[in-house]
Amino acid sequence: MADREIEFTEESTQDSDAILLDNSNFVVDPSQIILATSDKHKLTFNLIQWLAQSPTRTVKSERKQAIANTLSVSTRQVERLLKQYNEDKLRETAGTERADKGKHRVSEYWQEFIKTTYEKSLKDKHPISPASIVREVKRHAIVDLGLKPGDYPHQATVYRILEPLIAQHKRKTRVRNPGSGSWMTVVTRDGQLLRADFSNQIIQCDHTKLDIRIVDIHGDLLSERPWLTTVVDTYSSCVLGFRLWIKQPGSTEVALALRHAILPKQYPDDYQLNKSWNVYGNPFQYFFTDGGKDFRSKHLKAIGKKLGFQCELRDRPPEGGIVERIFKTINTQVLKDLPGYTGANVQERPENAEKEACLTIQDLDKILASFFCDIYNHEPYPKEPRDTRFERWFKGMGEKLPERLDERELDICLMKETQRVVQAHGSIQFENLIYRGESLKAHKGEYVTLRYDPDHILTLFVYSCETDDNLEEFLGYAHAVNMDTHDLSLEELKTLNKERSKARKEHFNYDALLALGKRKELVDERKADKKEKRHSEQKRLRSASKKDSNIIELRKSRVSKSLRKQETQEILPERVSREEIKFEKIELEPQETLSASPKPNPQEEQRHKLVLSKRQKNLKNIW
C-alpha cells in the first residue's frame, strides 16, 4: 500500500489553491479508510464519500487518482461512481443499485395473477405451496389461455415473485402484534426486528396535512392546509417535539423538527404552558421513519453519523402506528372544535370551513404546544395505565433527565452545509451578501464550513473543514455587514436577489446610451485620424527613399520630347465606343490609270468607307 500513496511534487505545491489552504486539507492517502474497511462495497462507498468531500478541485483530482490506484480501476470509472453517489444510487452494503432492481421482467398480468393466487389462499386460511402455484400458472396458461411452453413465466420466475410474499407472511406469524404486550417492536425494510427496551432508543418521525384552514397575518385565507411534523418516542409514545409548516416539508424541515425534539423546550410566556416540557434528547440507536424521499436524504444520514444514531425505514405503514395514531388524536381532541376545521373525510366536512377560518399558524402552534405539553404527554400510557406517558419515559431514562447537548453540536440540523473561502478582514461572501466575523481574521485563505438557520439567514455559524485527522471545530459567528437591524429568511433573501437581478436587466438609462454613442463616434474619429496619419507618413517615407532614383528625370525627358513633335500622341489609347463609329456612303470615281478597263455598271454595288471622328484620327499611328 505504501507504493500507492501519493506525494506532492514541487509543481503541485505551487498551485494557487494549495497556497491558500492548509496542508491538512490536502491529505490524499486512503490507507486509513482501507484499514478501517474490510467489505468491498463498503470500501468503495467510503472512498467515494471521501472524494465527494474534497475541498478544492486540486485535492479532488489527486484523491480521484488515489482511489483509482487503490481500486485498480480507471479514473473514468471513479467519476461514474461519484455520479452514482451524488444521485444517491451508490449503496454502502450492496454496491451500485440496478435501475430495474425489485422489478420482474414478466408482464404485470402474470405478476398480479401469481400474487392474487397466493393472497387468496392466505385469505382462505389454506396457504398453498410455491410448487402448487407453479402448476396453477402452467394450467392457466395452457388450458385457459391456449399458450405454448415458453410463453408463460418459468418456475424460477414464479419463485422469485413469491419469495417476498412468503417472507412477509412468515414474519407476520412470527412477530408479535405491536399493539399487544408491555413493549414495542418494529420491523425495518430490511426485515430487521427492532425492540424498544428503554426511552429514546427508537425515535419515530412522520408528517401529516392537518384538517384545518388557516389565515396569514393579514387575515387572508391561505390556499393550502398546514403540515405537521411530529417526533415521538417508541418506548413511551411521548411527543418529544413538533413543527408546523406552510408547505410540504422536506429534509431540511425534518432536521429542524429533530433539533426541536433534542433540545430542551423554551417557550415564551404568551404560550401559557402549565407544565414543563422535560421530554427531550437525541435518538440513542435508531431514527425510524417511512420511505419518503425527505427521510432518505444524505443530510439526515450525516446528522445520524455525527450524533451517533442510525436511520431506518419501516417495512409497512402499520409499523408506524404510534406516530400515525397521534394524528387522529389531534383531529378528535384538538382540531374538531376549532374554526376552519375541514373534517377527516369529505362526507363530514363542514360547509363554512373557509369562511370561519381565523387562526394563524402561530395560533395553531400555541394550541398544539399546550396540548402536547400539558395533556398528551401526561395522559395514562395505554399499555400500562398506572403510569403516564411522561412517567414511563422518565423511568425508561433511568429516572434521570438526559444530558443536555450543546446547541453548537446541533448546528448540523439547521440546514445543509456549504463551504466558502475566508477573504480579507475575516469576510465571507454568501448569497450576494458580505458576512464578517472577528474570529475569522486568523483563517484568511482557508476553506470553512457554513451552517445557518433558514429563518434567520443574516447570521452564519462557521466551522473548520473536517479532515481525516481532525474533526471540525466551531470558529465563531459571521454577521451580515450593515444589516444589524434587519431580519431575513433564506426565501426572502433569494426573492430579493431575484428582484435585484431583474431590475438590473430591465434598467434603461437614455443619457448613458447617448454618452455611449458619443464615445463611440469619438473613438471612430480618432481611429480614422490615426490611420490617415499613418498612410501619409508611410508615403513620405517612400518618397524619401526614392530621392536617388532617376525614374522621375526619365519621365520628364520623355514628356519634353513628345511635346516637340507636331502631332501629339496618346500614351495610352482610349476605348472606342460603338456609338462613335459613323458610316457614310462613298461614290467610286474612275481611275485614270485604268482607262482600258470597262466602265463600271451604275447598278454596281456601292461601297462604304469607315469614317472616324476627329478624335480618333490618330488611331492609325497608335495601332
Side-chain angles (χ1 to χ4, degrees):
M1 181 52 63
D3 58 341
R4 293 182 178 177
E5 296 181 1
I6 295 180
E7 299 179 357
F8 289 104
T9 62
E10 183 179 357
E11 182 179 358
S12 64
T13 56
Q14 298 301 324
D15 188 31
S16 60
D17 291 336
I19 295 174
L20 292 176
L21 297 179
D22 187 72
N23 291 334
S24 61
N25 290 319
F26 290 87
V27 179
V28 292
D29 182 15
S31 58
Q32 297 296 329
I33 300 177
I34 298 174
L35 293 176
T37 307
S38 59
D39 184 71
K40 178 181 178 181
H41 299 304
K42 192 172 183 179
L43 170 63
T44 304
F45 182 85
N46 292 339
L47 288 175
I48 299 301
Q49 186 180 37
W50 177 58
L51 174 63
Q53 297 172 353
S54 302
T56 63
R57 292 184 178 180
T58 304
V59 177
K60 186 175 182 179
S61 177
E62 294 174 352
R63 290 185 179 183
K64 186 188 301 181
Q65 186 61 46
I67 294 173
N69 296 336
T70 303
L71 299 178
S72 299
V73 297
S74 63
T75 55
R76 185 70 184 92
Q77 179 63 21
V78 176
E79 292 175 355
R80 294 190 187 98
L81 294 174
L82 179 61
K83 181 179 179 181
Q84 294 166 1
Y85 175 82
N86 294 331
E87 295 176 355
D88 200 17
K89 294 182 179 179
L90 189 65
R91 294 293 178 264
E92 185 174 0
T93 56
T96 305
E97 182 180 354
R98 287 174 43 184
D100 59 347
K101 182 179 179 181
K103 300 180 181 179
H104 304 285
R105 297 183 180 180
V106 297
S107 63
E108 296 183 359
Y109 172 80
W110 285 112
Q111 295 182 38
E112 188 65 25
F113 177 79
I114 295 171
K115 293 179 181 179
T116 303
T117 304
Y118 181 74
E119 292 175 354
K120 184 176 182 301
S121 65
L122 295 179
K123 188 176 181 180
D124 297 337
K125 298 183 180 180
H126 291 90
I128 58 179
S129 62
S132 301
I133 296 181
V134 170
R135 289 191 292 269
E136 177 62 22
V137 169
K138 185 176 181 180
R139 185 205 64 79
H140 178 65
I142 297 176
V143 178
D144 298 339
L145 303 179
L147 300 178
K148 298 180 180 179
D151 295 341
Y152 53 88
H154 190 266
Q155 61 180 5
T157 304
V158 178
Y159 290 151
R160 282 197 300 270
I161 297 175
L162 288 174
E163 183 178 359
L165 301 176
I166 296 174
Q168 183 179 7
H169 175 66
K170 290 182 179 180
R171 188 164 56 246
K172 288 181 180 180
T173 57
R174 183 175 65 251
V175 179
R176 295 185 62 184
N177 188 343
S180 61
S182 59
W183 46 270
M184 177 65 67
T185 59
V186 292
V187 181
T188 66
R189 182 168 293 185
D190 299 333
Q192 183 182 2
L193 179 65
L194 305 179
R195 172 173 171 173
D197 295 321
F198 51 89
S199 300
N200 287 13
Q201 179 187 7
I202 304 174
I203 289 181
Q204 301 188 36
C205 182
D206 202 358
H207 313 295
T208 188
K209 201 172 187 179
L210 295 178
D211 299 325
I212 191 173
R213 300 300 297 271
I214 59 175
V215 298
D216 58 11
I217 57 177
H218 304 291
D220 298 329
L221 183 68
L222 296 178
S223 59
E224 297 291 337
R225 292 178 291 160
W227 285 81
L228 172 67
T229 301
T230 55
V231 182
V232 185
D233 173 44
T234 304
Y235 180 78
S236 62
S237 70
C238 274
V239 177
L240 277 70
F242 76 98
R243 272 288 181 261
L244 288 171
W245 318 104
I246 295 296
K247 62 180 183 179
Q248 185 174 1
S251 60
T252 302
E253 287 75 16
V254 174
L256 292 176
L258 180 60
R259 184 176 183 270
H260 178 259
I262 294 176
L263 291 176
K265 283 52 171 188
Q266 300 292 338
Y267 283 100
D269 296 336
D270 58 344
Y271 274 70
Q272 298 180 356
L273 301 183
N274 298 325
K275 299 179 181 179
S276 299
W277 197 336
N278 289 326
V279 183
Y280 59 90
N282 64 302
F284 290 137
Q285 287 187 341
Y286 303 104
F287 188 65
F288 194 69
T289 61
D290 60 17
K293 184 178 180 180
D294 49 343
F295 294 117
R296 294 183 284 107
S297 64
K298 298 177 184 177
H299 184 206
L300 200 58
K301 294 179 181 178
I303 296 174
K305 183 177 181 181
K306 177 170 181 161
L307 299 182
F309 63 84
Q310 184 175 349
C311 298
E312 293 288 348
L313 305 179
R314 63 193 186 196
D315 181 35
R316 306 177 284 127
E319 302 297 337
I322 291 180
V323 68
E324 296 284 354
R325 184 61 180 85
I326 295 178
F327 300 147
K328 185 176 181 180
T329 303
I330 293 173
N331 277 336
T332 56
Q333 298 187 21
V334 181
L335 303 181
K336 192 173 183 179
D337 300 329
L338 296 179
Y341 176 68
T342 59
N345 48 50
V346 180
Q347 290 78 10
E348 299 178 358
R349 182 173 182 175
E351 297 180 358
N352 300 324
E354 288 77 8
K355 295 182 180 180
E356 295 178 354
C358 60
L359 297 176
T360 64
I361 195 168
Q362 290 78 12
D363 298 333
L364 195 59
D365 187 74
K366 294 179 181 180
I367 294 173
L368 291 179
S370 177
F371 172 73
F372 289 137
C373 179
D374 297 337
I375 301 175
Y376 186 82
N377 286 346
H378 294 277
E379 288 181 343
Y381 180 64
K383 300 179 184 298
E384 292 289 341
R386 291 173 295 182
D387 296 331
T388 62
R389 291 187 175 94
F390 174 75
E391 291 173 349
R392 180 176 173 82
W393 177 85
F394 190 70
K395 291 180 180 179
M397 293 296 298
E399 297 187 354
K400 62 178 181 180
L401 295 177
E403 182 180 357
R404 297 189 178 188
L405 294 179
D406 186 6
E407 190 172 352
R408 298 284 70 78
E409 297 182 21
L410 297 177
D411 287 343
I412 191 175
C413 299
L414 293 178
M415 201 172 182
K416 297 178 181 179
E417 61 185 29
T418 184
Q419 292 183 342
R420 290 293 187 275
V421 178
V422 180
Q423 301 175 0
H425 311 295
S427 301
I428 295 175
Q429 187 173 6
F430 178 70
E431 291 292 340
N432 291 337
L433 290 180
I434 301 299
Y435 295 80
R436 187 168 297 165
E438 294 294 331
S439 59
L440 303 180
K441 294 182 178 180
H443 303 275
K444 183 176 64 174
E446 298 181 4
Y447 271 84
V448 293
T449 301
L450 306 180
R451 295 195 180 97
Y452 50 90
D453 187 347
D455 297 326
H456 307 282
I457 194 61
L458 299 183
T459 298
L460 304 178
F461 305 93
V462 186
Y463 291 81
S464 62
C465 290
E466 182 178 358
T467 61
D468 297 335
D469 300 330
N470 302 319
L471 296 177
E472 61 182 13
E473 178 186 358
F474 179 69
L475 301 180
Y477 301 95
H479 304 280
V481 178
N482 299 330
M483 299 190 71
D484 297 334
T485 59
H486 298 77
D487 189 14
L488 289 176
S489 65
L490 180 61
E491 293 182 357
E492 293 173 345
L493 180 58
K494 288 184 176 180
T495 303
L496 182 62
N497 289 335
K498 289 182 180 179
E499 293 178 355
R500 289 175 178 174
S501 178
K502 184 178 179 181
R504 189 181 301 112
K505 293 179 180 179
E506 295 178 352
H507 180 67
F508 182 80
N509 192 333
Y510 185 73
D511 295 334
L513 295 179
L514 289 179
L516 179 63
K518 294 179 181 179
R519 185 165 64 249
K520 186 176 183 300
E521 293 178 359
L522 179 62
V523 172
D524 293 340
E525 183 180 353
R526 292 294 178 263
K527 286 182 179 179
D529 294 344
K530 182 179 179 180
K531 186 176 181 180
E532 184 178 355
K533 290 180 180 179
R534 187 167 58 247
H535 285 310
S536 62
E537 182 68 15
Q538 189 74 4
K539 184 178 180 179
R540 186 188 66 80
L541 292 175
R542 287 199 305 267
S543 301
S545 64
K546 298 176 184 178
K547 64 181 180 179
D548 297 333
S549 177
N550 58 354
I551 295 177
I552 299 177
E553 286 72 10
L554 292 175
R555 188 176 183 84
K556 290 180 179 180
S557 62
R558 184 180 178 186
V559 172
S560 62
K561 290 180 181 179
S562 63
L563 291 176
R564 287 196 297 268
K565 292 183 178 180
Q566 295 180 358
E567 296 181 1
T568 60
Q569 297 181 358
E570 292 186 4
I571 298 177
L572 293 176
E574 295 183 0
R575 183 178 179 88
V576 180
S577 64
R578 189 175 184 87
E579 290 76 9
E580 293 176 342
I581 300 176
K582 299 180 180 179
F583 294 92
E584 295 181 0
K585 294 183 180 181
I586 302 175
E587 296 182 358
L588 296 177
E589 296 180 356
Q591 299 181 5
E592 297 179 356
T593 58
L594 298 176
S595 57
S597 60
K599 295 182 179 181
N601 190 357
Q603 302 298 330
E604 185 179 359
E605 180 181 359
Q606 295 181 354
R607 299 187 180 183
H608 299 77
K609 66 177 182 179
L610 179 62
V611 180
L612 300 178
S613 65
K614 187 176 181 179
R615 180 182 177 187
Q616 278 81 26
K617 286 184 179 181
N618 59 350
L619 287 176
K620 181 178 179 181
N621 296 332
I622 297 173
W623 290 347

